Amino acid sequence: MAELQLQHLDKIYDNSVQAVYDFNLDVKDGELIVLVGPSGCGKSTTLRMVAGLEDISAGHLLLDGKDITQAPAKDRDMAMVFQNYALYGHMTIYENMAFSLTLRKENPNVIHKKVLAAAEILDLTAQLNKKPSQLSGGQRQRVAMGRAIVRNPKVFLFDEPLSNLDAKLRSATRREILLLHKRLNATMLYVTHDQTEALTLADRIVCMSMGHVQQIGTPLELYDRPNNTFVATFIGLPPMNMFNTVFENGKLRGKGFEVPLNDEQRAVLAPYNGKEIILGVRPEDIYEGGDMSFRASINENLGMTTLVHGNIGSGEHITAKFRSWTAYAAGDEVAVHFERMHFFDPETTNAIRKEGI
């Protein structure tokens, strides 16, 4: 049982710079929460406050209902996996994994059983007598995870654990973390700037920007119903297309182009008649064939799909993701229709929608 509550957490440094504002999150037992956002958004600072490596300026941190806001890191029953592995080069893999238990003066037989069990889970049994320098980056990260597992903590904390790995190793290690979570059914907080990691790993995602939480929800909720333009463009690859438009007399007009709307969409936008609207369309929601068109500039063929970049109307950039191998020449007119659209208020940047739409 490990439930974590972050209540109104603030982080203000001595120079009066505030890194985190009013952070609120209830982490359920066995849940994998991913904090995602660009560099400097406050996600790692939040994780370090949870770990006890940064003081909490305001708010409360509760673990299973107990206030641990002022508790030292060693008394929080949490284990952290760092970006740089933090392994001892002069020790064997076995010694690295056993180190925290040895410091606690646990029974050597118990330590041995815990290390072997963790090594088996992570496929490291054959590497236990080696030194870290003899292992690949992916194996070293597994050792760092193994060192956390043997402690049997209430909460696992991951701080950008895959950022030092190449693309292939990142993908493989990501799967291992997901399998590890399912096997241990452990409560985990995971920080990354990589939205692919967030979407593939998380039970729920916390999307942050400039120290503020922008949205908390399942991966599908953030992808399908973003709260604002920041979430809409940060989650999803390629990013969502954004167009400046005006809603007038039941029609949405962009700069040199017009977008057809159905009755439901007109109803959503009815309060905005005569006003500017930011129209968002994901590249994968643009389909070939329709009453609209854009001028192609370049293609990116990705095998089963093609990204076609171009300009619509009087020059706004557009990216479409087609489910086939295409080869449009520069200047070709590409007939399209928008299958799904998102609307945003240009002043607040918040989503305009009604429930169920």
Side-chain angles (χ1 to χ4, degrees):
M1 182 74 175
E3 293 184 350
L4 192 63
Q5 293 174 289
L6 288 69
Q7 300 178 341
H8 304 288
L9 296 192
D10 285 346
K11 179 59 183 178
I12 305 171
Y13 289 103
D14 292 339
N15 58 3
S16 298
V17 172
Q18 187 157 355
V20 178
Y21 298 80
D22 195 29
F23 190 105
N24 291 278
L25 176 67
D26 288 344
V27 184
K28 301 170 188 172
D29 180 42
E31 195 172 22
L32 199 169
I33 298 287
V34 177
L35 278 59
V36 68
S39 297
C41 72
K43 57 189 184 297
S44 288
T45 301
T46 301
L47 192 76
R48 290 174 65 83
M49 284 194 288
V50 172
L53 302 178
E54 293 274 5
D55 292 332
I56 295 172
S57 303
H60 295 277
L61 179 66
L62 279 66
L63 180 59
D64 290 338
K66 179 183 178 182
D67 194 322
I68 60 167
T69 308
Q70 303 300 328
K74 64 183 180 63
D75 296 334
R76 296 195 178 191
D77 202 4
M78 301 179 185
M80 194 158 180
V81 179
F82 294 92
Q83 173 182 338
N84 61 358
Y85 321 136
L87 303 179
Y88 297 105
H90 65 285
M91 293 183 180
T92 65
I93 301 310
Y94 182 99
E95 291 167 337
N96 266 281
M97 291 173 65
F99 185 68
S100 63
L101 303 182
T102 303
L103 283 181
R104 292 183 189 174
K105 296 183 168 51
E106 285 204 23
N107 185 299
N109 290 330
V110 173
I111 294 175
H112 187 67
K113 287 179 181 178
K114 287 183 176 181
V115 171
L116 290 185
E120 184 177 352
I121 289 172
L122 296 167
D123 194 24
L124 288 170
T125 305
Q127 318 298 333
L128 289 176
N129 291 322
K130 294 181 180 179
K131 298 288 180 66
S133 60
Q134 296 174 277
L135 271 56
S136 68
Q139 288 173 322
R140 287 183 221 173
Q141 193 54 273
R142 294 211 303 272
V143 174
M145 288 191 284
R147 188 174 51 193
I149 291 170
V150 298
R151 291 179 54 186
N152 192 28
K154 286 190 173 183
V155 180
F156 286 83
L157 306 175
F158 293 86
D159 189 11
E160 306 242 18
L162 309 185
S163 59
N164 286 338
L165 306 180
D166 63 34
K168 186 176 180 180
L169 273 176
R170 274 202 305 274
S171 179
T173 310
R174 193 167 63 231
R175 290 193 298 271
E176 289 170 359
I177 291 173
L178 197 55
L179 290 170
L180 178 66
H181 175 247
K182 293 184 182 300
R183 184 165 182 172
L184 299 178
N185 194 30
T187 304
M188 296 182 173
L189 269 183
Y190 187 108
V191 161
T192 181
H193 64 274
D194 187 331
Q195 53 138 321
T196 301
E197 286 178 39
L199 290 169
T200 54
L201 287 174
D203 293 319
R204 285 189 297 154
I205 294 172
V206 180
C207 188
M208 297 183 68
S209 173
M210 304 291 287
H212 295 271
V213 172
Q214 301 296 315
Q215 188 170 355
I216 300 175
T218 66
L220 182 58
E221 285 170 345
L222 268 69
Y223 173 83
D224 210 37
R225 293 174 63 80
N227 276 355
N228 52 44
T229 56
F230 175 82
V231 178
T233 53
F234 191 83
I235 299 294
L237 195 67
M240 183 183 287
N241 294 288
M242 292 290 182
F243 307 112
N244 295 312
T245 65
V246 175
F247 180 63
E248 285 183 319
N249 303 319
K251 296 180 179 180
L252 204 58
R253 293 190 175 90
K255 295 176 181 178
F257 64 98
E258 188 172 287
V259 183
L261 299 174
N262 59 34
D263 290 341
E264 284 183 330
Q265 291 162 339
R266 292 190 192 98
V268 170
L269 295 178
Y272 288 82
N273 190 47
K275 297 181 180 179
E276 293 183 357
I277 299 292
I278 297 175
L279 167 64
V281 186
R282 294 203 179 277
E284 53 270 33
D285 287 331
I286 300 175
Y287 286 75
E288 291 178 277
D291 298 330
M292 301 170 58
S293 67
F294 71 88
R295 294 174 302 285
S297 55
I298 56 172
N299 303 300
E300 289 185 75
N301 294 112
L302 305 175
M304 293 295 291
T305 60
T306 303
L307 298 182
V308 181
H309 302 276
N311 295 284
I312 189 168
S314 58
E316 287 207 71
H317 178 79
I318 184 172
T319 298
K321 186 176 184 178
F322 295 143
R323 292 153 183 79
S324 60
W325 186 283
T326 60
Y328 289 104
D332 281 355
E333 289 289 329
V334 184
V336 294
H337 67 277
F338 296 164
E339 192 72 20
R340 178 105 197 277
M341 290 180 269
H342 304 261
F343 309 118
F344 302 94
D345 185 305
E347 291 186 11
T348 66
T349 75
N350 292 334
I352 302 168
R353 60 187 176 220
K354 290 183 180 178
E355 287 303 315
I357 298 178

